Amino acid sequence: LNIQFIGIHRNLRGKLSIIDLAGSERLAKSGVKGVGATEASAINQSLSCLGNVIQALTTDAGFVPYRSNKLTQLMQDSLGGNAKTLMFVNISPVDYNAAETLNSLNYAKRVKEIKNVASKMNDAEKLAELKKVL
């Protein structure tokens, strides 16, 4: 979703990314086999890479491994820089899912620790910023 507001003397842009992270898959618990197991493994790999990016962002590491996975590449501008990052967690009230619920809440707690300075940027400021890069 790309939102544009054209004001009297400025053009403001915003971006809203809604991403379903699916959740980690416990193969032994779900009993998934074959293609489903391969997909579950890929989901777990993506979430692991996202966890590494979150760790790097919350510890002010010199290097943030955005390029380690397609998910983290796509989420780069939503996680770092001039962005506000929020995570909504769906949890289960069932005792059987207590471990997954706790893992999800801990993951969200780590996301909450990402500190970015989100600010409005008009086209002139963005152009000046891009010129600095060049």
Side-chain angles (χ1 to χ4, degrees):
L1 176 63
N2 195 3
I3 302 168
Q4 290 187 10
F5 170 76
I6 300 173
I8 297 172
H9 297 290
R10 60 187 173 178
N11 185 6
L12 300 177
R13 290 188 175 91
K15 180 178 180 182
L16 173 66
S17 300
I18 301 174
I19 301 165
D20 182 0
L21 296 177
S24 66
E25 296 292 329
R26 306 271 185 248
L27 295 178
K29 186 175 180 180
S30 66
V32 174
K33 300 199 183 310
V35 175
T38 304
E39 290 176 1
S41 178
I43 290 169
N44 289 339
Q45 178 66 29
S46 294
L47 291 173
S48 177
C49 290
L50 180 59
N52 293 339
V53 167
I54 292 167
Q55 179 69 23
L57 289 170
T58 57
T59 59
D60 294 326
F63 174 74
V64 181
Y66 289 117
R67 299 183 76 189
S68 62
N69 189 276
K70 192 65 161 179
L71 174 67
T72 55
Q73 287 177 12
L74 293 171
M75 292 181 67
Q76 182 174 353
D77 63 343
S78 298
L79 291 170
N82 190 25
K84 176 68 177 165
T85 306
L86 300 172
M87 182 174 179
F88 297 91
V89 181
N90 291 321
I91 59 174
S92 173
V94 180
D95 290 343
Y96 179 71
N97 295 324
E100 285 83 0
T101 296
L102 186 58
N103 285 340
S104 296
L105 291 172
N106 285 330
Y107 207 90
K109 181 180 176 186
R110 290 173 56 203
V111 170
K112 185 179 178 182
E113 293 173 6
I114 296 174
K115 302 294 183 210
N116 291 330
V117 179
S119 62
K120 294 179 183 177
M121 183 182 285
N122 63 33
D123 285 343
E125 290 171 344
K126 190 170 186 174
L127 182 59
E129 184 178 304
L130 290 173
K131 284 182 180 180
K132 284 181 189 178
V133 173
L134 295 174

